[in-house]
């Protein structure tokens, strides 16, 4: 069964680039944006762009997120425009508190403060937003495929309860991926071609215009990669676009369009010995079952913004259609819709002469999914094994208020109330209990938040806050596969209180973003793998603890190295995520570490930048001790050190070149794990080998 497709879109783009190269001297001159390698959650680079009513400029986005009394992060997409950013790891790897590791192709693990810690696929416990509008399905499950790094203008990271401003109240919080408009785009036209190891070729084209009261932008990316491992071919086509219309200075509407096609072969997980000594091989079941994940997603959303006499009203609506064909232990065939409406009012007020900022919002969203399963006949549909339907409904209301009772000290208070319903219907198949064809469960809660923000100086902030979170199980948790059949398991929601204290800012040559946090959890949703080809089973743990330190820091080591008149710069940046996640007096696991994530993850980068646009940045990724693979703490992945190098230059007339070399020593290591309860009794073919040595190069033309 053939799943690879040619990179015709990228080849066509190469021809366009060649055509423009021939006329480079006649191209209009554009301002080259210098690369900024200072701490990305703190520093915004690039020219000031005013944006519009529905989508403010990047500087305004950064200013808004900085007013939150809690741990946040911000990434200006300009910082990775001229390097090989192919997955979300390339976008988020320098963000404190975010653990992101590739498995293969576009599949990766994304976790904030241990959210979805033991889940070996997709994401749980983080709301994925695009332009402030949810992309998660209505049951809370989420994928990353629709997030194309080359279609982004900025990324806003709201850790834990700090995602309340969008209505999120999960342990991991929310990540908002903001796409450009014609008002915020880095250039009216962008063409790009990347090539590199593992048969990788990627092409991208973006165009935007402002015509009177109308504006529009379209962005298309096509990627083909053979992959590092056997049976690892990836092919994606992503389109993101938006059209805005300004009715008046106080009223604007914007429609978002998205279409995403992903064809991903699955190489599967391996034993630890194979992962370290035969990392390119695929799991036997992946080959015999031609295991794959083919996803088709269409997304339509709208934001209409009205500036009122008092405050601003944003009205968001969205609909998402997702089709999935996923031959694994069985051939999963799913077709579903998600739709929602979310009004939000923000207002700058004055209370007794004090500044007061208020957010009040609601979200009503739902989804229906038709889930069929067939016997996997070499990647094809065999005999039908299951015919089920899932229905998710969510009704939410929230507010967040920030009162400056002193000129530089704010008190923040907020809360979210919700009622969520999950229903499962077995319409025929191999139900374990044939007398019970349908089941469901409701979830209700109120999650409060309280915090303080202190700004002793304009560029320095300190904060402390306490939040409550609730993670409602999704249908992968609730409709569990036992043997070859599905059964509804009425799990409880995961509950947690989280306290955090931190500071962020810049002073002279130093920049920092550091937070210490502790979460007290009950009923944590943990997964364990019974069979590497079968979705992991989920259970509610007893009491658990998540605590850690999230640190990002940078220092300008030296300036004007070449001469007193050359404003070049040498910057040292350090990321450290310390994650101590453990059971608390558990009857089975005692006070063991929770499996799935290394305790320490460090990343060090030394960056040289020259005002001509040249940069050179060697980096080290270091995991001093690998993650536990089982909750019994009997098997763990080894430690590793990876060396990498990025370099590039911005040329006149909008041209940019870059080179990205990774894992220069060709280190054999484990990038991720699908956890088990006890490695002494369970199958341990649960390890994903990291990619070997690779080199990627690209050319970009902005005009």
């Amino acid at each position: 069964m053939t799943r690879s497709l040619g990179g015709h879109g990228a080849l066509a783009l190469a021809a366009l680039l060649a055509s423009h190269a021939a006329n480079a001297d006649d191209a209009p001159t554009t301002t080259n944006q210098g690369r900024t390698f200072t701490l990305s959650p703190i520093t915004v680079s690039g020219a000031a762009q005013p944006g519009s009513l529905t989508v403010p400029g990047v500087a305004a986005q950064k200013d808004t997120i900085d007013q939150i009394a809690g741990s946040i992060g911000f990434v200006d997409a300009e910082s990775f425009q001229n390097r090989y950013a192919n997955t979300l790891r390339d976008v988020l790897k320098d963000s404190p508190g975010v653990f992101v590791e590739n498995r293969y192709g576009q599949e990766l693990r994304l976790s904030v403060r241990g959210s979805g810690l033991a889940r070996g696929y997709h994401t749980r416990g983080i709301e994925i937003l695009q332009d402030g509008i949810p992309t998660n399905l209505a049951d809370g499950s989420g994928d990353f495929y629709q997030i194309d790094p080359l279609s982004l203008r900025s990324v806003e990271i709201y850790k834990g309860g700090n995602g309340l401003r969008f209505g999120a109240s999960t342990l991991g919080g929310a990540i908002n991926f903001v796409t450009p408009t014609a008002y915020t785009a880095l250039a009216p036209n962008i063409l790009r071609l990347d090539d590199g190891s593992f048969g990788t070729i990627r092409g991208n084209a973006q165009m935007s215009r402002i015509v009177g009261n109308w504006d529009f932008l379209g962005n298309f990316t096509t990627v083909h990669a053979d992959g590092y491992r056997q049976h690892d071919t990836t092919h994606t086509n992503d389109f993101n676009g938006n059209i805005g219309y300004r009715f008046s200075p106080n009223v604007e509407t914007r429609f978002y369009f998205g279409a995403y096609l992903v064809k991903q072969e699955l190489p599967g997980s391996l034993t630890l010995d194979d992962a370290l000594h035969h990392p390119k091989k695929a799991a036997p079941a992946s080959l015999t079952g031609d295991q794959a994940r083919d996803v088709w997603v269409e997304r339509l959303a709208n934001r209409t913004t009205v500036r009122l006499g008092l405050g601003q009203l944003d009205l968001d609506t969205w609909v998402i259609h997702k089709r999935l064909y996923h031959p694994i232990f069985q051939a999963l065939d799913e077709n579903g819709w998600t739709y929602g409406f979310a009004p939000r009012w923000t207002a700058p007020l004055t209370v007794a002469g004090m500044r007061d900022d208020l957010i009040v919002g609601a979200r009503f969203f739902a989804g229906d999914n038709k889930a069929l399963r067939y016997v996997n006949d070499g990647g094809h549909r065999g005999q039908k094994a299951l015919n089920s339907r899932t229905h998710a409904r969510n009704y939410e209301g929230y507010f967040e208020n920030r009162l400056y009772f002193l000129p530089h000290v704010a008190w923040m208070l907020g809360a979210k109330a919700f009622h969520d319903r999950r229903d499962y219907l077995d319409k025929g198949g191999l139900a374990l209990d044939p007398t019970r064809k349908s089941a469901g469960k409701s979830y209700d809660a109120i999650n409060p938040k309280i915090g303080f923000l202190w700004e002793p100086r304009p560029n320095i902030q300190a904060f402390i806050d306490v939040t409550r979170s609730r993670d409602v199980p999704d249908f992968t948790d609730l409709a569990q596969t036992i043997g070859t059949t599905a059964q509804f398991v009425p799990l409880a929601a995961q509950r947690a209180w989280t306290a955090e204290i931190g500071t962020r800012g810049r002073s002279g040559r130093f920049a920092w973003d550091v937070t210490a946090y502790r979460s007290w959890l009950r009923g944590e949703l943990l997964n364990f793998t019974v069979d590497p080809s079968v979705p992991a089973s989920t259970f509610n743990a007893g009491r658990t603890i998540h605590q850690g330190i999230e640190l990002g820091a940078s220092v300008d080591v030296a300036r004007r190295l070449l001469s007193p008149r050359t404003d070049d710069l040498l910057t040292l940046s350090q990321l450290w995520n310390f994650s101590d996640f453990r059971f608390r007096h558990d009857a089975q696991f005692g006070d063991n570490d929770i499996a799935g994530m290394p305790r320490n993850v460090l990343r060090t980068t030394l960056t040289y930048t020259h005002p001509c646009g040249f940069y050179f940045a060697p980096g080290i990724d270091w995991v001093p001790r690998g993650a536990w693979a089982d909750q019994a703490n009997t098997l763990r992945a080894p430690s590793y050190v990876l060396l990498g190098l990025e370099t590039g230059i911005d040329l006149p007339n909008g041209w940019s070149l870059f080179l990205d070399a990774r894992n220069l020593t060709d280190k054999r290591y484990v990038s991720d794990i699908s956890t088990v309860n006890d490695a002494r009794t369970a199958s341990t073919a649960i390890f994903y080998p990291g990619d070997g040595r690779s080199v990627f190069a690209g050319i970009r033309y902005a005009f």
Side-chain angles (χ1 to χ4, degrees):
M1 184 176 181
T2 301
R3 297 187 180 278
S4 62
L5 297 175
H8 300 298
L11 294 177
L13 181 58
L16 286 173
L17 288 170
S19 173
H20 282 284
N23 296 283
D25 292 338
D26 298 325
T29 301
T30 60
T31 302
N32 291 321
Q33 306 298 334
R35 290 180 56 87
T36 299
F37 280 89
T38 50
L39 190 63
S40 59
I42 295 174
T43 300
V44 180
S45 61
Q49 296 166 315
S52 67
L53 198 58
T54 52
V55 184
V58 174
Q61 296 171 28
K62 178 67 167 58
D63 182 65
T64 298
I65 193 174
D66 274 343
Q67 302 308 308
I68 292 176
S71 183
I72 48 86
F74 189 87
V75 181
D76 185 344
E78 187 177 10
S79 67
F80 57 81
Q81 285 297 306
N82 296 337
R83 62 180 174 89
Y84 186 68
N86 186 45
T87 69
L88 291 190
R89 184 183 189 280
D90 302 318
V91 175
L92 300 171
K93 62 185 179 182
D94 294 317
S95 300
V98 180
F99 179 78
V100 56
E101 277 295 343
N102 291 337
R103 293 192 182 103
Y104 49 81
Q106 297 291 324
E107 180 66 24
L108 50 81
R109 177 188 293 278
L110 176 62
S111 178
V112 176
R113 298 180 176 178
S115 61
L117 177 58
R119 172 169 283 190
Y121 46 87
H122 312 305
T123 186
R124 186 212 290 126
I126 302 176
E127 286 215 19
I128 306 297
L129 309 168
Q130 189 162 323
D131 302 300
I133 300 172
T135 66
N136 294 61
L137 302 184
D139 68 344
S141 61
D143 276 323
F144 321 103
Y145 307 122
Q146 73 277 13
I147 307 299
D148 172 18
L150 296 185
S151 72
L152 300 179
R153 188 59 187 88
S154 64
V155 183
E156 302 170 342
I157 303 165
Y158 302 88
K159 304 170 203 170
N162 302 305
L164 182 62
R165 66 176 290 107
F166 287 107
S169 60
T170 56
L171 179 68
I175 302 179
N176 183 30
F177 297 93
V178 182
T179 61
T181 69
Y183 292 100
T184 63
L186 292 171
N189 307 283
I190 299 174
L191 297 174
R192 175 176 176 140
L193 181 65
D194 304 340
D195 200 357
S197 300
F198 318 136
T200 300
I201 187 167
R202 176 173 66 167
N204 170 262
Q206 178 178 296
M207 183 180 72
S208 60
R209 295 291 187 274
I210 300 172
V211 183
N213 291 327
W214 292 91
D215 68 273
F216 68 89
L217 180 142
N219 185 294
F220 176 74
T221 302
T222 182
V223 181
H224 173 84
D226 296 330
Y228 173 66
R229 300 176 59 192
Q230 185 183 14
H231 202 261
D232 191 11
T233 300
T234 303
H235 187 84
T236 65
N237 287 308
D238 296 328
F239 174 77
N240 285 280
N242 63 81
I243 298 176
Y245 182 74
R246 183 176 298 176
F247 292 96
S248 73
N250 296 320
V251 182
E252 183 176 297
T253 190
R254 186 168 305 278
F255 287 91
Y256 295 94
F257 310 92
Y260 318 97
L261 169 64
V262 177
K263 290 183 175 292
Q264 173 71 64
E265 292 182 333
L266 306 184
S269 52
L270 304 173
T271 65
L272 182 58
D273 182 74
D274 277 341
L276 297 178
H277 298 99
H278 310 284
K280 293 186 178 182
K281 71 182 295 185
S286 297
L287 298 175
T288 58
D290 195 16
Q291 295 188 4
R293 184 184 297 112
D294 296 345
V295 185
W296 300 262
V297 177
E298 301 92 37
R299 175 178 179 263
L300 173 64
N302 173 265
R303 166 165 293 173
T304 297
T305 299
V306 181
R307 184 180 290 137
L308 305 171
L310 181 62
Q312 177 174 299
L313 179 64
D314 294 305
L315 302 173
D316 294 342
T317 54
W318 69 95
V319 59
I320 301 171
H321 175 238
K322 178 181 177 180
R323 178 69 187 272
L324 169 71
Y325 182 64
H326 191 15
I328 43 176
F329 75 107
Q330 292 179 333
L332 282 58
D333 190 348
E334 300 184 3
N335 194 335
W337 292 84
T338 300
Y339 37 89
F341 171 63
R344 186 175 66 152
W345 177 60
T346 57
L349 307 173
T350 301
V351 177
M354 297 177 291
R355 172 186 166 188
D356 186 76
D357 299 325
L358 178 63
I359 301 173
V360 179
R363 300 196 300 183
F364 312 99
F365 58 106
D368 304 281
N369 190 53
K370 178 181 179 181
L372 306 177
R373 292 186 183 179
Y374 301 85
V375 173
N376 183 354
D377 183 10
H380 300 278
R381 299 172 182 84
Q383 181 181 358
K384 183 182 289 187
L386 179 69
N387 181 1
S388 66
R389 302 291 187 275
T390 59
H391 308 278
R393 303 289 185 272
N394 308 280
Y395 308 92
E396 305 175 354
Y398 63 93
F399 81 94
E400 185 175 270
N401 190 73
R402 183 173 59 249
L403 175 66
Y404 281 83
F405 62 92
L406 293 174
H408 303 293
V409 182
W411 174 51
M412 181 176 287
L413 179 68
K416 171 184 171 179
F418 69 85
H419 170 77
D420 293 351
R421 177 70 187 177
R422 305 290 182 261
D423 289 298
Y424 177 81
L425 175 64
D426 182 355
K427 301 187 69 175
L430 302 176
L432 290 182
D433 183 359
T435 64
R436 185 176 182 180
K437 294 290 186 179
S438 64
K441 188 173 176 63
S442 294
Y443 300 88
D444 303 270
I446 297 177
N447 294 327
K449 173 185 178 180
I450 185 171
F452 292 88
L453 176 69
W454 177 40
E455 299 177 285
R457 292 171 55 185
N459 294 323
I460 298 177
Q461 297 175 322
F463 57 86
I464 184 171
D465 66 276
V466 177
T467 62
R468 188 186 189 192
S469 63
R470 287 279 180 119
D471 288 32
V472 174
D474 60 34
F475 280 115
T476 305
D477 300 318
L478 296 169
Q480 297 190 21
T481 301
I482 302 175
T484 58
T485 62
Q487 180 179 6
F488 188 87
V489 179
L491 296 167
Q494 171 183 298
R495 295 93 67 200
W497 284 96
T498 299
E500 63 179 13
I501 183 170
T503 177
R504 54 182 174 256
R506 170 175 283 278
S507 178
R509 298 183 297 119
F510 298 93
W512 67 91
D513 183 353
V514 58
T515 303
Y517 68 92
R518 182 180 174 98
S519 298
W520 295 264
L521 289 84
R522 290 193 176 188
E524 182 172 1
L525 294 165
L526 293 178
N527 300 85
F528 63 95
T529 300
V530 179
D531 182 316
S533 296
V534 179
S537 298
T538 309
F539 66 95
N540 284 116
R543 295 188 178 189
T544 54
I545 294 289
H546 288 202
Q547 58 189 356
I549 298 172
E550 306 160 342
L551 181 146
S554 69
V555 56
D556 296 338
V557 178
R559 187 182 292 274
R560 300 182 178 90
L561 282 80
L562 297 183
S563 74
R565 287 185 276 182
T566 302
D567 194 23
D568 54 349
L569 180 65
L570 185 66
T571 302
L572 178 66
S573 301
Q574 179 65 57
L575 173 77
W576 175 40
N577 288 333
F578 171 71
S579 306
D580 179 15
F581 307 149
R582 59 181 61 250
F583 294 94
R584 189 179 182 188
H585 312 314
D586 186 81
Q588 182 177 2
F589 302 117
D591 294 329
N592 283 2
D593 288 353
I594 300 173
M597 186 181 297
R599 178 164 290 196
N600 292 281
V601 176
L602 298 101
R603 176 174 171 78
T604 305
T605 307
L606 183 65
T607 304
Y608 172 79
T609 57
H610 191 279
C612 73
F614 172 76
Y615 68 93
F616 184 84
I620 300 174
D621 289 280
W622 180 29
V623 173
R625 201 172 188 191
W628 287 111
D630 63 339
Q631 313 296 0
N633 292 176
T634 66
L635 177 65
R636 72 189 317 158
S639 62
Y640 63 85
V641 175
L642 304 179
L643 304 180
L645 173 65
E646 298 178 0
T647 185
I649 188 168
D650 294 336
L651 299 172
N653 299 327
W655 290 92
S656 300
L657 305 174
F658 73 86
L659 180 73
D660 189 340
R662 305 182 177 189
N663 192 5
L664 292 173
T665 62
D666 202 24
K667 175 70 175 178
R668 304 288 177 87
Y669 70 103
V670 169
S671 63
D672 198 24
I673 305 168
S674 292
T675 59
V676 295
N677 278 349
D678 193 331
R680 294 168 295 189
T681 58
S683 169
T684 57
I686 55 175
F687 297 91
Y688 294 95
D691 288 349
R693 182 187 297 114
S694 59
V695 179
F696 303 93
I699 183 171
R700 179 174 177 266
Y701 180 39
F703 59 102

